[in-house]
Amino acid sequence: MSALTTHVLDTSLGRPAAGVAITLERREAGVFVDLGRGRTDADGRCRELLPQGVPLQPAVYRLSFDAGAYFGGRGVPTFYPEVCVVFEVREPAQHHHVPLLLSPFGYSTYRGS
């Protein structure tokens, strides 16, 4: 498991959101640079966003979740086609878990463990 993980829960169904595409970026010189991509598994988790051998660094990161494709695949309209969560890593030796609670018309996030 990498030092950065996430999971997505579909609160409109009360279950994990499988198959959500996720992009991880790091801000470098004021511009976000693509670091990795992944999809949530059947349990709504994405455990390997950082490429093998790429360490987490003190920096600002952005996770982008493709909510539009996820809900569109179920035939459900959504107000948020993409959810971007920007956060700062200050202690890269710690594990960072960034969950997303998602519904077609709202979302919430927090620093998990």
Side-chain angles (χ1 to χ4, degrees):
M1 181 167 32
S2 76
L4 175 64
T5 57
T6 186
H7 75 269
V8 183
L9 300 175
D10 183 336
T11 58
S12 68
L13 298 174
R15 65 177 186 224
V20 177
I22 304 168
T23 302
L24 172 64
E25 300 164 291
R26 180 175 55 223
R27 191 166 65 192
E28 297 176 7
V31 177
F32 281 101
V33 176
D34 197 357
L35 283 182
R37 295 176 183 274
R39 281 194 183 276
T40 56
D41 61 17
D43 195 33
R45 297 182 181 278
C46 189
R47 295 173 174 90
E48 298 295 334
L49 280 168
L50 280 169
Q52 194 78 341
V54 175
L56 198 59
Q57 301 173 11
V60 173
Y61 291 83
R62 178 168 62 191
L63 284 171
S64 299
F65 300 85
D66 190 351
Y70 168 73
F71 286 117
R74 293 185 23 234
V76 175
T78 181
F79 186 70
Y80 298 103
E82 182 178 30
V83 174
C84 296
V85 179
V86 179
F87 58 97
E88 185 172 9
V89 170
R90 295 181 183 179
E91 298 181 37
Q94 291 184 355
H95 176 76
H96 291 74
H97 184 64
V98 184
L100 178 68
L101 306 176
L102 182 64
S103 75
F105 298 97
Y107 65 91
S108 178
T109 186
Y110 57 96
R111 172 142 186 214
S113 58

